[in-house]
């Protein structure tokens, strides 16, 4: 987890398949925070030891995205083709994180742009995606539950979110 911590991601404990919080091993419940307050200014994140102990019980770890960055969450195969075309035309290679149902693409938020942490968004290119906005949202990241990176980059090297992926107004 050193890469996440050094890049400013903030850990939070999620229910995962912890026997106390998710006895039925429901995938949607597994991604929920186990405790409130993870997005408050006075939040005290768990230590690496606390994270390790939590994972041993079946809990998962979520990571609050640093402010100034956004993750595009896509679970659509056609959307993946469209995104890859945009990336190729723009000459960009965002980090790609594979999930159980799709992938996350990481970007810098363009200067002066304020994006909503609202769930699903139609983008300028017509693709419906889920925004995960830095400082407001979190993700379950590798290695939890079989997730992995196909491409990683430090946040300082991320491309700026292309206009194609800004919200359609």
């Amino acid at each position: 987890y050193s890469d996440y911590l050094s890049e400013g991601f903030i850990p939070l404990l999620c229910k995962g398949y912890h026997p106390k919080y998710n006895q039925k091993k429901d995938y949607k419940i597994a991604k929920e925070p186990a405790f409130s307050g993870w997005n408050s200014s006075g939040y005290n994140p768990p230590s690496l030891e606390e994270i390790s102990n939590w994972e041993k019980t079946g809990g998962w770890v979520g990571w609050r995205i640093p402010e100034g960055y956004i993750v595009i969450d896509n679970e659509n195969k056609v959307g993946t083709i469209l995104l890859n075309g945009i990336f190729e035309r723009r000459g960009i290679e965002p980090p790609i994180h594979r999930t159980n149902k799709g992938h996350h693409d990481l970007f810098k938020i363009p200067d002066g742009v304020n994006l909503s942490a609202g769930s699903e968004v139609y983008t300028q290119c017509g693709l419906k995606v889920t925004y995960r906005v830095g400082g407001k949202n979190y993700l379950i990241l590798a290695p939890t539950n079989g997730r992995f990176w196909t491409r990683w980059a430090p946040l300082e090297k991320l491309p700026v979110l292309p206009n194609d992926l800004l919200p359609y107004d």
Side-chain angles (χ1 to χ4, degrees):
Y1 296 133
S2 61
D3 282 342
Y4 301 146
L5 292 170
S6 67
E7 292 294 328
F9 287 83
I10 308 285
L12 60 135
L13 303 178
C14 293
K15 294 177 181 176
Y17 297 141
H18 191 289
K20 181 178 176 182
Y21 297 97
N22 190 2
Q23 293 175 350
K24 294 182 181 179
K25 296 187 176 185
D26 180 288
Y27 179 71
K28 186 173 180 174
I29 291 172
K31 298 187 291 182
E32 295 175 358
F35 308 100
S36 62
W38 61 270
N39 56 354
S40 67
S41 61
Y43 175 65
N44 185 23
S47 67
L48 289 176
E49 183 178 352
E50 290 169 321
I51 289 170
S52 176
N53 291 336
W54 183 253
E55 288 180 321
K56 288 175 186 171
T57 65
W60 291 4
V61 179
W63 296 91
R64 187 172 69 197
I65 303 159
E67 289 189 37
Y69 299 93
I70 185 169
V71 174
I72 301 298
D73 187 347
N74 175 53
E75 296 179 351
N76 179 313
K77 289 182 183 188
V78 173
T80 298
I81 294 167
L82 180 60
L83 287 170
N84 288 337
I86 291 169
F87 302 159
E88 187 175 318
R89 282 191 307 281
R90 303 279 180 256
I92 58 176
E93 292 185 342
I96 298 173
H97 178 256
R98 298 290 173 189
T99 69
N100 302 92
K101 296 185 177 187
H103 61 92
H104 299 136
D105 302 299
L106 283 71
F107 297 94
K108 289 179 191 172
I109 295 175
D111 290 338
V113 173
N114 184 22
L115 299 172
S116 168
S119 190
E120 294 182 319
V121 176
Y122 280 99
T123 61
Q124 302 252 346
C125 68
L127 180 63
K128 186 178 181 180
V129 298
T130 303
Y131 275 180
R132 306 288 185 210
V133 178
K136 302 174 185 176
N137 295 124
Y138 70 93
L139 299 167
I140 307 296
L141 296 174
T144 301
N145 199 37
R147 294 159 187 257
F148 63 96
W149 289 94
T150 56
R151 186 169 45 232
W152 166 264
L155 295 183
E156 67 186 33
K157 295 189 178 188
L158 294 185
V160 174
L161 182 70
N163 288 341
D164 310 76
L165 298 177
L166 289 173
Y168 178 77
D169 188 14

